Amino acid sequence: DAGITQSPRHKVTETGTPVTLRCHQTENHRYMYWYRQDPGHGLRLIHYSYGVKDTDKGEVSDGYSVSRSKTEDFLLTLESATSSQTSVYFCAIRGRENQPQHFGDGTRLSIL
Amino acid sequence: AQSVTQLDSQVPVFEEAPVELRCNYSSSVSVYLFWYVQYPNQGLQLLLKYLSGSTLVKGINGFEAEFNKSQTSFHLRKPSVHISDTAEYFCAVSPLTGANNLFFGTGTRLTVIP
């Protein structure tokens, strides 16, 4: 295992509520990523981080924000959840350039 | 911009038969190529990667893939599949520069039939 923990693993919430997902790593890797997985779309990048307080948008960033105040933690926040954000969310980490990304076990989020 | 096309969404194959999962990509820059496997209710596990050098890449669990630059393909093969290979397989590319973000195909579900 690559030392990645996602929490919670499952969450059910209502439309309009805020939601925060946490990714914690023990590898001291510089790069961290948030993806969402939906049927027929594969995985799509939401946001990524290349260091503490350094983040950037991916291809599906609308409705999401992120924060990285420590190397080991990368938080994904849905400020006001919508049903279209029901998905499985994966965190990934990467060390040096040319190295592959390693993925956590995912968070299954349902928004009713 | 990068895009990845996995030509088959589902591939059923009998146990001990060979299998090929197809992947084509499009990119305006040079890329690294990857295959990941996802077992039910789990995260993605790296099968193999092509960074440079030999175009035939060997990975875990007996899988291999061949990079064909002229055809922009990176097909995954296994000569004899097992029941335990039943899973979803994702092809992905990553630009050589920047944050090395991954761009994924939509996945191929491999079902091995006893």
Side-chain angles (χ1 to χ4, degrees):
Chain A
D1 288 350
I4 309 169
T5 304
Q6 291 188 233
S7 59
R9 292 295 314 280
H10 303 271
K11 187 172 181 67
V12 180
T13 191
E14 295 183 347
T15 300
T17 60
V19 177
T20 295
L21 308 183
R22 180 183 183 232
C23 178
H24 178 78
Q25 61 146 329
T26 58
E27 306 294 321
N28 201 35
H29 281 346
R30 176 183 178 192
Y31 293 91
M32 299 185 76
Y33 308 81
W34 277 108
Y35 294 88
R36 60 177 290 174
Q37 182 179 24
D38 304 289
H41 290 278
L43 281 81
R44 293 176 293 174
L45 182 66
I46 304 171
H47 281 280
Y48 65 97
S49 170
Y50 46 97
V52 173
K53 296 195 169 123
D54 292 323
T55 65
D56 206 347
K57 296 178 179 180
E59 61 180 310
V60 290
S61 60
D62 286 350
Y64 302 94
S65 63
V66 291
S67 65
R68 191 166 177 201
S69 58
K70 299 184 290 185
T71 298
E72 57 266 35
D73 289 325
F74 192 32
L75 304 181
L76 177 70
T77 297
L78 291 64
E79 300 290 349
S80 177
T82 68
S83 58
S84 64
Q85 294 175 310
T86 291
S87 187
V88 182
Y89 291 84
F90 287 98
C91 174
I93 64 174
R94 182 173 67 81
R96 294 178 292 113
E97 276 70 22
N98 305 346
Q99 294 303 306
Q101 294 181 24
H102 295 280
F103 286 79
D105 289 333
T107 294
R108 187 171 296 273
L109 177 63
S110 296
I111 300 164
L112 308 177
Chain B
Q2 291 74 39
S3 68
V4 178
T5 302
Q6 292 185 243
L7 297 162
D8 305 297
S9 59
Q10 298 187 57
V11 173
V13 62
F14 286 103
E15 192 174 15
E16 297 184 7
V19 70
E20 178 180 82
L21 306 183
R22 295 179 293 169
C23 173
N24 287 90
Y25 70 94
S26 171
S27 178
S28 55
V29 300
S30 294
V31 294
Y32 300 127
L33 298 122
F34 305 86
W35 276 99
Y36 284 85
V37 60
Q38 184 179 34
Y39 299 104
N41 299 314
Q42 293 187 24
L44 277 71
Q45 179 182 357
L46 181 69
L47 265 182
L48 48 79
K49 61 183 184 290
Y50 174 78
L51 304 181
S52 64
S54 172
T55 57
L56 183 62
V57 180
K58 295 191 183 297
I60 62 171
N61 301 340
F63 284 92
E64 64 180 32
E66 185 157 19
F67 170 52
N68 187 318
K69 188 173 183 179
S70 62
Q71 297 188 7
T72 59
S73 67
F74 192 52
H75 301 332
L76 180 70
R77 303 185 183 99
K78 186 170 183 178
S80 175
V81 295
H82 302 291
I83 296 291
S84 59
D85 292 323
T86 294
E88 186 135 24
Y89 292 79
F90 292 94
C91 180
V93 303
S94 169
L96 268 60
T97 57
N100 296 151
N101 296 336
L102 281 171
F103 296 85
F104 284 88
T106 52
T108 297
R109 181 168 299 278
L110 174 64
T111 302
V112 180
I113 305 164

